[in-house]
Amino acid sequence: MKKFIYLSIILLITSCSFENKANNITTTTNIKTGSTIQNNTKIINTNKKITENINKTKLENKKQKYATRWLIISWTIHLKNDEYILALKKFFEAYKNKKWDDEIEKRIADTYYLMKKWDKAYEYYDKIEDNKIIYKDKYIKSFLYSLNIYKLKHNKTYLSGAINKIKSINLLNDQEKFFYSNSLSCINDFSLCKKNFQDYLEQNKDNITAKQLKDIQNALNNYKNFKIDELYFKNTLILWAFFKNDLYPIVIILWKDILKEKPNYKPVLKMIAQSYFELWDYENAKEYLTKYYALDSNDKDVLYLLAIISQKTHDFILSTIYLNKAENLWYKPQDNIYRLQIYNYYVLDNSAKILENFDKLISSQKKPLYNDLVLATYYNLINWNTDSWEKYAKLWLKLYPKFEDFYGFEWWILIEKNKLDEAKNFLEKWYKINKNNALINLNLGRIEEKKWNFIKAKLYYKKAIKLDNWWEISKISVKMLENLEKQQNTSSWQTSTWIIN
């Protein structure tokens, strides 16, 4: 009996102990669970914020990416039209207060390079961090071309600094570093530099991979085999290798040294002029070309360069004289001459000569280029040269049947013949396909004007001005618009308004 009571007490105590433990465990678990839920909630909220921030960052990156993409598209359009300043302006405005990135710096560097602004091109190529190797050639050239030619010749410290800079450029391999640095050293001592090339090529004759050094190697071989002993003749062979590798500042200095011994040496005069021309230094190029021209006035290449320089320096009459002479001497390709002449006569406002050179331009090509044919057709049209217009229109339709610009010109003729309904029916069909064609809008404006629907006409003219990529259509649309606005101030405008109402 005592044993039973004892066991019962133990079991009761044990059960109470288990119950208390269970309660304690439950309480502890509840506390822990509550704490865990709170912690998990905090973690979830934190993760949510992180996710939101990541999404925001992704969205901003996408926006930035698309903004950059459209900037690049806009930049490309401006570059196609040689509108370098506008191309640069796009980037400088958009990123005025933002961090620069490689994509923008690449485009700015390329634009400055096309503008021949060598110091600015070098500055922005130097900022590029990713894939810089792609821009190695432009990077090196923009550095070399930005150097001051006078200082290279007369300031040894300046020359030494340029050489050291070349040696520090990691984009260049050892052979390229030697080529560029030793080429610069030729300015100070041509004999020593020539010897350095010979020694280097001899020591590495089985391992020469750089194209630039192979050109020097060929030049030195020709130097040894050259039959004439006069040194300036032989040195010209080496300088020609420099010229082939676009080292224009170096060859200008060294060829000028040769001219001191042989002032009327025509090949050197031409190469100095060509080097200045490549650097866009037109005044110095003209100086040396004029010296050459005094010795030989029938060199086609020199005449062509003089024509371009005269055009660039806005002496359009002199440019036409040089081009006429180059054409008579059968400069090739002649279509380049005709394009330059068309521009000259456009500036000089000589329509007859413009049309004459368009005829020559189209006749000189087996398959006329699209833009040449468009402009030839257009200028014959606005000058009412119907026979030539119809001839080019047929050729255009045969070669480029899918381009809607042709139909814009065809409708122009229908409008002039006062076949307004026929022209409008065709135009409206094309307008549904492409509402952003400047020529279609111009012609629709002309139709509405002839029908005295002046308000609609103005809308079409304004749209044509906004859309025009040629500038010529825009110019005509502006004139049409101006004439229309003058009519608004006359009684005929009041009468037309009354009729419309």
Side-chain angles (χ1 to χ4, degrees):
M1 184 70 179
K2 286 180 180 178
K3 283 184 180 179
F4 175 76
I5 293 169
Y6 177 72
L7 285 171
S8 297
I9 291 167
I10 290 174
L11 286 171
L12 181 62
I13 293 167
T14 306
S15 65
C16 289
S17 175
F18 280 140
E19 189 177 338
N20 287 334
K21 281 184 180 178
N23 288 334
N24 288 336
I25 289 168
T26 303
T27 304
T28 305
T29 302
N30 287 339
I31 291 166
K32 286 183 177 178
T33 302
S35 176
T36 303
I37 289 168
Q38 285 178 341
N39 289 336
N40 286 342
T41 303
K42 285 180 182 178
I43 292 166
I44 288 166
N45 289 334
T46 304
N47 288 339
K48 192 176 179 182
K49 284 181 181 178
I50 292 168
T51 305
E52 284 174 358
N53 289 334
I54 289 169
N55 288 336
K56 279 182 182 178
T57 305
K58 283 182 178 178
L59 186 60
E60 285 302 315
N61 288 338
K62 278 187 178 180
K63 284 180 180 178
Q64 186 80 356
K65 185 179 177 183
Y66 283 117
T68 303
R69 182 185 169 197
W70 283 110
L71 274 170
I72 290 168
I73 290 169
S74 178
W75 170 81
T76 306
I77 291 167
H78 285 309
L79 248 59
K80 282 183 179 178
N81 295 320
D82 295 335
E83 296 168 340
Y84 302 129
I85 301 299
L86 289 176
L88 283 173
K89 191 178 177 184
K90 282 284 180 186
F91 287 124
F92 284 127
E93 281 182 357
Y95 284 84
K96 195 172 183 180
N97 300 312
K98 294 183 182 180
K99 188 180 177 182
W100 292 93
D101 63 36
D102 268 8
E103 282 303 312
I104 302 306
E105 281 153 3
K106 288 170 190 172
R107 274 20 183 231
I108 289 176
D110 281 343
T111 307
Y112 276 127
Y113 190 87
L114 289 169
M115 293 172 72
K116 315 296 183 186
K117 302 288 185 185
W118 309 117
D119 53 342
K120 299 300 289 183
Y122 169 68
E123 178 188 336
Y124 282 97
Y125 283 130
D126 198 40
K127 290 181 180 182
I128 296 169
E129 294 178 1
D130 296 332
N131 297 320
K132 200 167 187 170
I133 192 70
I134 298 170
Y135 297 90
K136 180 174 77 171
D137 187 54
K138 289 180 179 178
Y139 177 72
I140 299 303
K141 285 179 182 177
S142 59
F143 167 70
L144 290 171
Y145 299 167
S146 69
L147 296 172
N148 185 298
I149 292 175
Y150 181 84
K151 283 187 177 180
L152 285 173
K153 178 66 177 172
H154 299 285
N155 188 326
K156 289 184 179 181
T157 304
Y158 184 81
L159 176 61
S160 178
I163 291 170
N164 290 334
K165 175 62 183 175
I166 286 289
K167 289 178 178 178
S168 71
I169 296 174
N170 294 327
L171 288 173
L172 299 173
N173 61 41
D174 289 342
Q175 290 188 12
E176 289 169 334
K177 284 181 182 178
F178 174 76
F179 169 76
Y180 286 113
S181 60
N182 196 56
S183 297
L184 279 168
S185 75
C186 289
I187 294 170
N188 191 41
D189 189 335
F190 188 74
S191 297
L192 179 61
C193 131
K194 189 167 56 180
K195 185 179 183 304
N196 288 341
F197 272 128
Q198 289 170 329
D199 292 345
Y200 186 91
L201 290 167
E202 183 61 34
Q203 291 165 15
N204 300 277
K205 59 184 176 182
D206 297 324
N207 300 306
I208 298 299
T209 55
K211 174 196 169 293
Q212 299 94 327
L213 283 176
K214 287 181 178 179
D215 288 336
I216 294 292
Q217 201 169 38
N218 291 333
L220 288 170
N221 289 336
N222 291 332
Y223 184 97
K224 288 177 186 175
N225 300 325
F226 205 63
K227 302 295 182 185
I228 301 172
D229 289 331
E230 288 168 335
L231 198 59
Y232 66 84
F233 275 124
K234 299 176 91 170
N235 286 344
T236 299
L237 296 172
I238 297 168
L239 297 187
W240 176 249
F242 288 168
F243 182 81
K244 274 178 68 180
N245 287 284
D246 306 332
L247 300 185
Y248 304 123
I250 298 171
V251 294
I252 285 170
I253 293 167
L254 296 175
W255 268 328
K256 282 183 179 180
D257 287 342
I258 289 175
L259 283 182
K260 290 174 185 175
E261 298 179 38
K262 190 79 172 175
N264 292 330
Y265 191 26
K266 290 196 299 182
V268 170
L269 286 169
K270 186 189 279 190
M271 289 300 101
I272 292 175
Q274 181 74 49
S275 299
Y276 273 126
F277 182 84
E278 295 298 334
L279 294 172
W280 273 31
D281 186 341
Y282 295 131
E283 290 303 322
N284 277 309
K286 187 175 182 178
E287 178 189 339
Y288 285 89
L289 285 171
T290 304
K291 287 178 182 178
Y292 185 102
Y293 187 74
L295 300 170
D296 181 0
S297 61
N298 290 321
D299 188 300
K300 295 174 283 189
D301 296 324
V302 168
L303 285 164
Y304 185 74
L305 281 177
L306 280 168
I308 294 175
I309 290 169
S310 298
Q311 190 181 89
K312 295 282 186 184
T313 53
H314 303 121
D315 193 342
F316 300 105
I317 293 174
L318 186 58
S319 178
T320 62
I321 292 168
Y322 286 133
L323 287 169
N324 283 331
K325 192 164 185 180
E327 180 188 358
N328 292 334
L329 291 168
W330 291 97
Y331 174 87
K332 300 289 183 181
Q334 289 218 318
D335 54 342
N336 285 345
I337 287 179
Y338 303 136
R339 290 189 190 97
L340 289 171
Q341 287 285 47
I342 287 164
Y343 182 76
N344 285 336
Y345 287 121
Y346 174 79
V347 174
L348 296 168
D349 199 23
N350 189 331
S351 297
K353 285 293 184 181
I354 290 174
L355 297 180
E356 178 187 320
N357 279 278
F358 266 125
D359 284 342
K360 290 179 180 179
L361 176 60
I362 300 303
S363 300
S364 69
Q365 302 174 73
K366 288 182 180 179
K367 181 182 178 181
L369 297 177
Y370 177 76
N371 285 340
D372 290 342
L373 203 48
V374 169
L375 290 171
T377 308
Y378 170 73
Y379 275 98
N380 278 281
L381 183 61
I382 63 174
N383 285 282
W384 315 113
N385 193 357
T386 309
D387 290 342
S388 291
W389 180 87
E390 289 179 347
K391 178 177 72 176
Y392 294 141
K394 286 176 184 175
L395 182 60
W396 187 356
L397 194 57
K398 179 183 175 183
L399 296 175
Y400 305 103
K402 294 180 180 179
F403 288 82
E404 69 226 25
D405 285 333
F406 167 80
Y407 300 98
F409 290 135
E410 188 173 40
W411 298 318
W412 187 301
I413 293 294
L414 287 172
I415 294 165
E416 288 305 316
K417 291 178 178 178
N418 223 33
K419 297 180 179 180
L420 302 183
D421 291 333
E422 185 181 347
K424 189 173 181 180
N425 285 337
F426 281 117
L427 276 167
E428 285 178 341
K429 286 178 184 176
W430 278 99
Y431 187 76
K432 287 177 183 177
I433 297 169
N434 185 1
K435 294 181 179 181
N436 294 323
N437 183 291
L439 194 56
I440 290 173
N441 279 277
L442 171 60
N443 278 309
L444 283 169
R446 293 175 67 228
I447 290 170
E448 296 300 344
E449 184 181 350
K450 281 179 175 287
K451 288 189 170 190
W452 285 44
N453 296 329
F454 294 159
I455 294 172
K456 280 188 177 181
K458 282 177 70 175
L459 292 173
Y460 284 124
Y461 288 146
K462 285 179 179 178
K463 192 171 181 182
I465 293 165
K466 188 178 178 182
L467 293 169
D468 179 37
N469 288 324
W470 286 1
W471 186 72
E472 278 296 325
I473 293 174
S474 177
K475 194 167 77 169
I476 292 174
S477 299
V478 168
K479 284 183 180 178
M480 295 283 195
L481 194 57
E482 286 172 353
N483 291 336
L484 204 54
E485 286 171 346
K486 284 177 185 176
Q487 291 185 58
Q488 289 182 13
N489 299 320
T490 65
S491 57
S492 61
W493 165 253
Q494 293 171 355
T495 306
S496 66
T497 307
W498 177 79
I499 290 168
I500 291 167
N501 292 334

